[in-house]
Structures are given as C-alpha cells and as structure tokens.
Amino acid sequence: MQRSMTRPGNHVIKSYEIYADMLFRIALVHLGSRQDAEEATQETFIKLIEKVPKFKDAEHQKAWLIRVITNHCKTLLGRGWRKREVKLESAEPIAVDNPEELALLQLVMAMPMKYKTVIHLYYYEDYPIQEISKILQISQSAVKMRLQRGRQLLKLELEGAESQ
C-alpha cells in the first residue's frame, strides 16, 4: 500500500520561511545541540503538515509552533537514552559575536527547562508575560515567578563566575 504523497501547501512553506529561525533558536537553547535543534524544528513542521490546524491569525500560529517545539524538546530531554548521553566538550560552538553574550547564553542553556523557556521567550524573543502565559498555557503569575527565579539563578551563577 502506497502512502499518498502530497506537497505541502504554500502556507507551510511561508510558515517555514517566517518561523524556522525562531523555532531553531528556541530548540537550540533547550537542547544545546545544533543537530537536535534542527531535528526538533523539522519535527515541528512535520506536525504542522500532518495536523493541519486551523489558526485564527498569525500570532495564534506562532504560539502553536512555539508550544509544539517546546513540548518536543521536553520529550527529547526526558528520553532515557538522552539522560545517559555524554556531552562532548568539542561540540560545535554557537555563533555569537560578543563573548559576554555567549557566556550568558550558555548559562541560560544550562538552566532547568521551565526557567530557560520563559527567559528565552521574554528576553530573546521579546514576548510579553501575557503572551508567554498563553503559549505555555500557564498562569501569568507562574510566568512572573519563573522569570524571577530564573533571574535569581542567573545572578547567582554570574556572581559565582566573577568571584573565581
């Protein structure tokens, strides 16, 4: 039995052109690996093609894509083989011009998932708290609390790095 092969519509191609870079950055922050981030981005667009969700507007679609890739990253990080994975110190570095910016990004990437997701969406993607709340389907007070705790973790890490 052959599967029907249909070409993705223009809406998927257009969505890819608009959101692929942003989704890749979100996945890279969560997963810390270029290859895993590329796979997560690809899986997100495959889900878009398979599920064909109806969106109210562009912001609704963007929020849906962010939620799908965030959930996919959580799934990947929760797999047993990934927990046993050994990170290579010589892995491909992330391209950032400023060394201080790179150090901060590495600290964000090392944070627990619930903090780095909120911090990334707030500081790197410029989402307001209300939008983050809708995207992650958590309350605004939970977003504020995660931002506060994430900032505290970053502050402790930065102070620890300066004292060494």
Side-chain angles (χ1 to χ4, degrees):
M1 188 164 141
Q2 269 190 335
R3 263 174 90 179
S4 66
M5 297 294 288
T6 57
R7 292 184 64 180
N10 283 341
H11 71 284
V12 175
I13 294 169
K14 198 174 207 174
S15 298
Y16 184 84
E17 291 171 354
I18 294 170
Y19 302 118
D21 289 340
M22 176 196 64
L23 295 173
F24 175 77
R25 287 191 308 267
I26 290 170
L28 189 59
V29 167
H30 285 87
L31 301 172
S33 159
R34 179 174 293 279
Q35 292 167 330
D36 290 344
E38 287 172 351
E39 180 187 328
T41 305
Q42 181 180 359
E43 286 296 321
T44 301
F45 284 102
I46 289 171
K47 285 182 182 171
L48 178 66
I49 293 169
E50 288 176 348
K51 299 207 182 266
V52 193
K54 302 288 181 211
F55 300 113
K56 292 182 252 176
D57 55 22
E59 283 302 312
H60 183 221
Q61 181 183 16
K62 187 176 178 181
W64 185 88
L65 290 168
I66 290 171
R67 191 169 39 250
V68 167
I69 201 161
T70 301
N71 288 338
H72 186 74
C73 290
K74 286 178 187 174
T75 302
L76 283 178
L77 291 173
R79 289 185 180 162
W81 62 266
R82 184 149 179 116
K83 290 179 181 174
R84 292 185 300 269
E85 182 181 16
V86 176
K87 297 274 183 192
L88 296 174
E89 294 300 323
S90 61
E92 186 177 333
I94 299 169
V96 176
D97 297 335
N98 185 345
E100 292 176 359
E101 196 175 310
L102 178 62
L104 184 60
L105 183 61
Q106 288 173 338
L107 288 176
V108 170
M109 290 171 62
M111 296 176 80
M113 174 71 86
K114 64 182 183 180
Y115 300 127
K116 71 179 163 187
T117 300
V118 171
I119 285 180
H120 180 80
L121 290 174
Y122 188 78
Y123 289 107
Y124 293 93
E125 301 297 333
D126 294 326
Y127 273 98
I129 290 172
Q130 184 180 13
E131 288 295 315
I132 295 171
S133 169
K134 287 180 186 172
I135 291 168
L136 299 178
Q137 297 180 334
I138 58 176
S139 69
Q140 289 184 32
S141 61
V143 173
K144 290 176 186 173
M145 184 59 70
R146 289 179 187 186
L147 274 174
Q148 180 184 6
R149 290 184 180 160
R151 287 184 200 120
Q152 288 172 345
L153 283 174
L154 282 175
K155 183 179 176 184
L156 288 174
E157 290 293 326
L158 290 171
E159 287 174 353
E162 287 177 4
S163 65
Q164 292 177 359

